[in-house]
Amino acid sequence: MGRVTTSTADLWHHYGRARAASDRAVPATFYWNWGQDAGPGAEVLSDLTGRCVGDLGAGAARHAAHLAVQHQPARVIAVDASPAQYAIATDLYGYLAPRLRIVHCDVVSHLSAMRGTYDVLYSVFGAVDFADPRELLPAAAAALRPGGRLVFATLAHYLSGSHAQPDVVAAEVSTKTPDGEAATMRRWVLQEHVWTKLLDDAGFTRITIDVLPATAEGPRTADTLLVRANRPS
Ligand SMILES: C[S@@+](CC[C@H](N)C(=O)[O-])C[C@H]1O[C@@H](n2cnc3c(N)ncnc32)[C@H](O)[C@@H]1O
């Protein structure tokens, strides 16, 4: 293993890069599960017509582009802190502006500047997995309009198969710098009751969590937690 770095290098430099070189299409489908191939889709977000929607940790913005093209929202704001992911998303889907707006920002900073703005916020293994939920979830609640909805997909267990955490504890997971050096970043893989408590503490109501089973066997497959919660009306 190479030297482990703790620099501020963009640890999402490589993510989705190979696919972006060959697949520029707006996806025809929207899935929440880890395999991105089955289960419920965008209907979980309810009718998005005329709504203000935010994708927290959008990556290449494929989910956001799908919603912008297929669901007539007023706008979808795809937020990502990675310079590389912002560049990829802008290259792929910048032409969908103004209905799709691609924003380069940390989600907690973005949400804190957008109080009472969003009808719907969602994350597909995005920033909800990688930002401290004790900061992100209250900021998300405040950024929603009364009655607004947060939906996110997150790991039900570690990719190794180990159980999720019974407390609000992040794990250091392996990644690579743009130069290919080994590095780590924090990921929150939490049990259902931990998410429920965090959401309740952040002021959310009507919290439900479904488990979407893995659609394949083998290493690096995973069950998904599909979490839904509302800001009170
Ligand atoms: C596993 S990727 C998922 C991307 C996309 N949702 C998808 O399904 O392809 C996680 C993304 O979250 C972004 N991210 C992590 N922490 C973030 C934060 N605090 N603010 C904004 N984006 C963040 C990363 O830059 C990365 O693009």
Side-chain angles (χ1 to χ4, degrees):
M1 182 191 278
R3 181 171 65 87
V4 171
T5 180
T6 54
S7 75
T8 54
D10 185 354
L11 300 179
W12 294 97
H13 175 86
H14 301 286
Y15 181 77
R17 189 165 287 279
R19 180 179 175 187
S22 60
D23 178 5
R24 301 185 62 84
V26 174
T29 53
F30 181 119
Y31 290 118
W32 297 97
N33 72 321
W34 177 251
Q36 291 290 286
D37 57 359
E43 72 279 1
V44 170
L45 298 170
S46 301
D47 183 5
L48 297 180
T49 308
R51 301 294 188 185
C52 179
V53 182
D55 185 327
L56 307 178
R62 293 185 188 274
H63 294 91
H66 169 88
L67 296 181
V69 168
Q70 304 266 0
H71 291 267
Q72 292 81 47
R75 60 192 174 283
V76 182
I77 303 177
V79 185
D80 204 287
S82 156
Q85 295 302 314
Y86 172 76
I88 291 171
T90 302
D91 176 49
L92 289 176
Y93 303 121
Y95 70 94
L96 294 176
R99 185 169 273 178
L100 174 63
R101 190 174 150 221
I102 300 167
V103 172
H104 179 211
C105 194
D106 171 76
V107 289
V108 176
S109 301
H110 174 80
L111 293 168
S112 300
M114 300 288 277
R115 295 176 71 86
T117 301
Y118 284 102
D119 298 297
V120 175
L121 291 168
Y122 72 92
S123 168
V124 185
F125 304 102
V128 173
D129 289 29
F130 298 97
D132 190 326
R134 293 162 294 200
E135 296 175 10
L136 187 151
L137 295 178
L144 285 167
R145 295 188 177 128
R149 167 174 279 221
L150 170 69
V151 183
F152 60 91
T154 187
L155 289 174
H157 53 81
Y158 290 100
L159 293 174
S160 64
S162 300
H163 292 300
Q165 297 288 347
D167 297 298
V168 188
V169 173
E172 294 289 330
V173 296
S174 299
T175 184
K176 290 208 184 306
T177 68
D179 293 340
E181 288 182 9
T184 61
M185 60 183 162
R186 292 196 297 175
R187 182 167 207 159
W188 277 263
V189 180
L190 308 177
Q191 294 182 10
E192 291 177 50
H193 70 90
V194 184
W195 284 117
T196 301
K197 171 85 167 52
L198 284 164
L199 287 159
D200 186 56
D201 288 349
F204 285 95
T205 58
R206 295 169 56 197
I207 301 160
T208 64
I209 304 182
D210 294 309
V211 180
L212 309 180
T215 50
E217 293 186 3
R220 298 192 71 78
T221 60
D223 298 341
T224 299
L225 296 185
L226 178 57
V227 183
R228 310 173 213 201
N230 281 67
R231 179 178 170 176
S233 299

